[in-house]
């Protein structure tokens, strides 16, 4: 049986392709009882998504996915059940957004030097005037025939050592956890099996995360294998972390990350949504 809760998804407010309203409607049609919207470094889409969820009777959890630089590598931390009106959170996200704006222009300059003009403008058009991510550059490069698909763009243009890669510093792990906690939410390490970490290094991350006040691990992810889910369940138990589950849905173009298909949490996990057992959150019983 699939989970009826999904705590990681993107809209056009970051690099998803459905608007917050369309995403919520799609989640409902897909059989979900509860969805969290977790756009990269912005809460822009939350009000629209929450209003639509209320109108159609879907449980909704306001969230965000913040980018972190930890040990010179990028780690994503999802904040769940946050209050987006929190000034500390918004001040922190503003810094991330400013870095994104600068990085986007720098990516445009570097791609231009590599013989690909107009990438900044192209990515900006794909972003619809909202936050710009590498995915928007990838869509522009695919559209202009520089690569066959988005994955190939990342591999050949946007990752370390490639022409469009811009090194830089996201927020620290401790800062991001602090913003999320200030906003009343729970911090969750996103898609933990996706990082190129050894077991030892992952456990070092989890130890530091717990120390900083982090509370959850995305045990079940759309980008995990079954084995990954079981491995992460053990880590969650070892570090006494709540278990979260999220598809990391970005839109119908990537059908392997569809909504409503997440497997149940492995036995022994403590679902993070147990913390939210209030009558206003139907997901607490649905999943
Ligand atoms: P950014 O936060 O702008 O640096 O972009 C990170 C986003 O790029 C991720 O959330 C994914 O949506 C996307 N992404 C990263 N690596 C890949 C990849 N290898 N293939 C496809 N999409 C990717
Ligand atoms: Mn993304
Ligand atoms: Mn991520
Ligand atoms: Mn994501």
């Amino acid at each position: 049986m699939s989970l009826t809760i999904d705590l990681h998804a993107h809209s056009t407010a970051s690099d998803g392709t459905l608007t917050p309203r369309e995403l919520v409607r799609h989640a409902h049609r897909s059989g979900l009882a509860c969805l969290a919207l977790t756009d990269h470094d912005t809460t822009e889409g939350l009000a629209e998504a929450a209003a639509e969820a209320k109108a159609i009777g879907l449980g909704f959890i306001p969230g965000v996915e913040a980018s972190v630089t930890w040990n010179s590598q990028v780690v994503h931390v999802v904040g769940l059940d946050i209050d987006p009106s929190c000034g500390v959170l918004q001040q922190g996200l503003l810094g991330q957004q400013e870095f994104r704006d600068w990085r986007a222009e720098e990516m445009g300059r570097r791609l231009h030097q590599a013989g690909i003009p107009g990438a900044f403008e192209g990515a900006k058009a794909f972003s619809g005037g909202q936050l710009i991510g590498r995915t928007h550059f990838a869509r522009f490069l695919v559209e202009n025939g520089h690569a066959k698909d988005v994955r190939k763009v990342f591999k050949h243009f946007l990752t370390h050592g490639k022409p469009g890669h811009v090194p830089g510093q996201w927020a620290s792990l401790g800062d991001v956890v602090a913003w999320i906690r200030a906003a009343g939410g729970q911090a969750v390490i996103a898609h933990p099996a996706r990082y190129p970490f050894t077991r030892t290094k992952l456990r070092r991350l989890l130890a530091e995360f717990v120390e900083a006040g982090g509370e959850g691990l995305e045990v079940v992810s759309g980008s995990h294998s079954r084995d990954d889910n079981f491995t992460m369940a053990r880590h969650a138990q070892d570090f006494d972390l709540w278990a979260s589950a999220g598809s990391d849905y970005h839109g119908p173009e990537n059908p392997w990350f569809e909504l409503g298909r997440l497997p149940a949490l492995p036995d022994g996990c403590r679902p993070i949504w147990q913390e939210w057992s209030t009558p206003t959150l139907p997901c607490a019983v649905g999943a």
Side-chain angles (χ1 to χ4, degrees):
M1 228 190 64
S2 301
L3 279 177
T4 59
I5 186 165
D6 188 326
L7 299 175
H8 189 154
H10 297 271
S11 75
T12 48
S14 66
D15 59 359
T17 57
L18 299 183
T19 64
R21 184 167 182 272
E22 289 166 345
L23 174 72
V24 162
R25 296 183 75 86
H26 182 56
H28 195 237
R29 271 198 309 273
S30 305
L32 289 181
C34 183
L35 175 80
L37 175 61
T38 56
D39 275 308
H40 296 286
D41 302 308
T42 181
T43 60
E44 253 335 274
L46 294 181
E48 181 184 316
E52 186 64 18
K54 193 169 175 205
I56 65 175
L58 181 81
F60 183 72
I61 300 293
V64 68
E65 181 176 19
S67 315
V68 162
T69 300
W70 180 78
N71 260 278
S72 311
Q73 266 163 318
V74 179
V75 168
H76 285 173
V77 174
V78 162
L80 294 175
D81 206 16
I82 53 165
D83 173 3
S85 71
C86 169
V88 172
L89 174 67
Q90 292 303 339
Q91 196 57 38
L93 294 180
L94 189 62
Q96 305 274 87
Q97 290 155 11
E98 284 169 357
F99 171 65
R100 275 184 182 278
D101 287 345
W102 172 82
R103 183 186 68 159
E105 291 191 28
E106 182 62 20
M107 282 172 76
R109 281 190 286 272
R110 290 183 187 214
L111 287 167
H112 186 92
Q113 277 167 11
I116 302 173
F120 173 70
E121 293 73 17
K124 195 168 178 172
F126 270 104
S127 78
Q130 305 222 47
L131 170 143
I132 305 187
R134 285 185 296 162
T135 310
H136 301 116
F137 280 86
R139 291 181 189 139
F140 169 79
L141 265 68
V142 170
E143 187 187 60
N144 285 271
H146 296 286
K148 206 166 83 237
D149 57 41
V150 163
R151 272 169 200 264
K152 290 225 157 56
V153 179
F154 273 89
K155 188 162 173 221
H156 297 299
F157 295 95
L158 304 183
T159 44
H160 197 73
K162 299 297 156 62
H165 181 256
V166 178
Q169 193 80 7
W170 295 106
S172 72
L173 186 66
D175 281 353
V176 162
V177 171
W179 307 339
I180 292 167
R181 287 173 68 93
Q186 285 98 48
V188 174
I189 297 282
H191 41 65
R194 214 152 85 195
Y195 308 117
F197 294 165
T198 59
R199 183 174 181 280
T200 308
K201 189 159 181 194
L202 179 64
R203 289 175 75 87
R204 192 141 48 84
L205 168 68
L206 296 181
E208 283 185 32
F209 180 64
V210 168
E211 182 71 21
E215 294 176 80
L217 186 66
E218 205 170 72
V219 166
V220 166
S221 164
S223 60
H224 283 178
S225 68
R226 287 266 169 172
D227 278 357
D228 291 336
N229 293 344
F230 284 103
T231 305
M232 294 309 152
R234 282 196 297 275
H235 290 312
Q237 284 160 31
D238 290 350
F239 287 89
D240 205 17
L241 288 161
W242 295 98
S244 187
S247 60
D248 205 4
Y249 184 71
H250 280 72
E253 299 77 13
N254 304 312
W256 54 91
F257 279 65
E258 228 342 308
L259 295 177
R261 296 212 199 126
L262 290 174
L265 292 176
D267 287 346
C269 288
R270 290 186 301 128
I272 195 163
W273 52 94
Q274 266 179 8
E275 283 229 298
W276 309 326
S277 309
T278 75
T280 53
L281 295 171
C283 64
V285 287

